[in-house]
Amino acid sequence: MPRRLATHANSWYVADPRKLDAQLNAWITAVKADECGMTKLPIPNARVIMAPHAGYSYSGATAGFSYAAWDLSKATRIFILGPAHHVYINGCSISGCNAFDTPLGELLPDSEVLQKLEDTGKFSRITLKADEDEHSIEMHLPFIFKAIEFAEKFPKDVKIVPIIVGSITTTQEKTYGALLKPYLEDPQNAFVISTDFCHWGPRFSYTGYFPELPSHDNPNAELVFLNETGHQVIKHPLYKSIRALDHQGMSAISTGKHSEFAAYLEKTRNTVCGRHPIGVIMAAAELMFGENKGSSFGRFRYLNYAQSEELNDINGSSVSYVSGFMEMP
């Protein structure tokens, strides 16, 4: 079985181990509990985190919030669910590699669990080329390596289970959620949900805009799609509309109701690239907790939100980043 090389090192993030270690350390330790409205970090029982996967110069600081919150005190296995950007997958795929390189050191897969997933008939093996082309999981591996170190564990003692989630339906999200539910229930398993939020701009074929921003009095503000004459209806900066759009999605996710997030996506068409990984973990958590009334378990809460730039020009582009966590018993 081959090794998976750190193919995005020295482009999406620095390859020099000392520089990378210093960056990761700075981003994680910069997060302070009181500034996040928390009493302590890591957050007890925060076994599931949501974090972005863009180049570190854009999203590294936001990802740091998630990794500062992550509770790995009981972890012996880490599942990473990321979207597919380069190949079409009607389902979920798993890696066939026997080691994953990072500039800080290697991470090893849990071959036994990966085989069990393959044996369900629902998980295919991705090719090495497609695996190494994809960045949604690789961008988390150095952070994971560092988080294991912060938890005073050893990388070879904590195995990873990388899962690339393809273009699946909400029904398929529920199917995969049911398959992963037993692993989510096990306190020795931690999860990373890899996603960026709104990809806005003509180059992303998405120009959704709120002419009237949603508010407490106007929660159902209508979204329009701007075109080359869009400047005629722009009443406030684009970045404010994008932020409102993303926060609606974040609120839908935090309900813990899989159907709420699906309805939001159908209505807004927001380009949340990790919508299917989010949908899978929400479906699994919903099976565990139902509608989750009165409980914080199984529902995402948020620590940070950022945009690659505060966009004002309709011909420009931006990508949004969110850090969050889900407490599990």
Side-chain angles (χ1 to χ4, degrees):
M1 296 175 72
R3 301 178 68 88
R4 189 198 181 282
L5 301 180
T7 50
H8 293 75
N10 217 25
S11 55
W12 289 54
Y13 58 97
V14 298
D16 181 275
R18 290 186 180 182
K19 291 180 180 178
L20 179 59
D21 185 74
Q23 277 189 340
L24 297 172
N25 188 68
W27 284 323
I28 294 172
T29 59
V31 182
K32 306 303 178 188
D34 56 348
E35 295 175 2
C36 299
M38 302 295 158
T39 56
K40 64 180 293 187
L41 295 173
I43 298 167
N45 301 313
R47 291 196 285 115
V48 183
I49 58 171
M50 175 192 298
H53 53 237
Y56 285 177
S57 61
Y58 295 102
S59 69
T62 299
F65 280 83
S66 299
Y67 284 94
W70 206 19
D71 183 2
L72 292 184
S73 59
K74 299 176 183 177
T76 61
R77 187 184 299 112
I78 295 168
F79 287 74
I80 315 154
L81 277 64
H85 289 86
H86 303 288
V87 295
Y88 175 76
I89 303 171
N90 181 21
C92 290
S93 289
I94 52 179
S95 177
C97 295
N98 62 6
F100 293 76
D101 285 339
T102 83
L104 304 180
E106 68 176 11
L107 291 167
L108 301 178
D110 190 317
S111 301
E112 182 178 343
V113 168
L114 289 169
Q115 187 60 55
K116 287 180 179 179
L117 294 178
E118 186 177 20
D119 289 345
T120 66
K122 297 292 185 180
F123 295 81
S124 60
R125 293 278 180 173
I126 195 168
T127 67
L128 177 60
K129 182 182 185 306
D131 197 342
E132 292 188 332
D133 284 346
E134 181 56 57
H135 64 274
S136 68
I137 288 176
E138 180 184 337
M139 298 305 292
H140 288 284
L141 299 183
F143 269 107
I144 290 170
F145 193 99
K146 190 67 180 175
I148 292 171
E149 179 183 291
F150 270 107
E152 298 182 347
K153 295 173 179 281
F154 298 95
K156 289 188 177 180
D157 295 334
V158 182
K159 303 293 179 66
I160 63 171
V161 182
I163 299 173
I164 298 177
V165 183
S167 300
I168 58 178
T169 65
T170 54
T171 298
Q172 286 175 299
E173 288 174 0
K174 292 179 181 180
T175 298
Y176 284 103
L179 291 171
L180 293 181
K181 173 178 171 281
Y183 298 102
L184 188 60
E185 290 174 323
D186 185 344
Q188 293 187 85
N189 293 327
F191 285 74
V192 176
I193 307 304
S194 174
T195 185
D196 297 333
F197 269 64
C198 186
H199 297 61
W200 201 99
R203 77 185 185 96
F204 296 120
S205 299
Y206 189 84
T207 55
Y209 180 75
F210 287 113
E212 301 296 335
L213 288 173
S215 65
H216 178 74
D217 297 324
N218 183 31
N220 298 314
E222 290 299 317
L223 196 71
V224 302
F225 287 86
L226 303 179
N227 52 34
E228 64 274 7
T229 61
H231 65 278
Q232 296 175 353
V233 297
I234 293 178
K235 298 182 179 181
H236 38 259
L238 295 171
Y239 71 87
K240 290 188 177 181
S241 175
I242 296 167
R243 182 173 59 203
L245 173 69
D246 282 329
H247 277 73
Q248 276 195 349
M250 292 160 66
S251 294
I253 294 167
S254 67
T255 65
K257 299 177 182 179
H258 181 263
S259 60
E260 289 276 342
F261 184 47
Y264 162 82
L265 291 171
E266 184 176 2
K267 179 180 179 180
T268 67
R269 292 180 273 165
N270 192 2
T271 45
V272 180
C273 61
R275 57 194 176 277
H276 297 306
I278 294 170
V280 169
I281 202 70
M282 287 186 71
E286 193 171 47
L287 283 172
M288 290 176 63
F289 301 106
E291 292 187 356
N292 212 353
K293 293 178 180 177
S295 171
S296 62
F297 286 138
R299 298 169 65 172
F300 275 108
R301 295 159 65 189
Y302 304 104
L303 298 161
N304 188 253
Y305 172 83
Q307 295 173 357
S308 59
E309 67 172 288
E310 291 191 344
L311 192 64
N312 289 288
D313 181 0
I314 189 175
N315 295 309
S317 62
S318 78
V319 181
S320 307
Y321 312 117
V322 173
S323 62
F325 67 94
M326 180 190 287
E327 294 172 273
M328 301 295 296

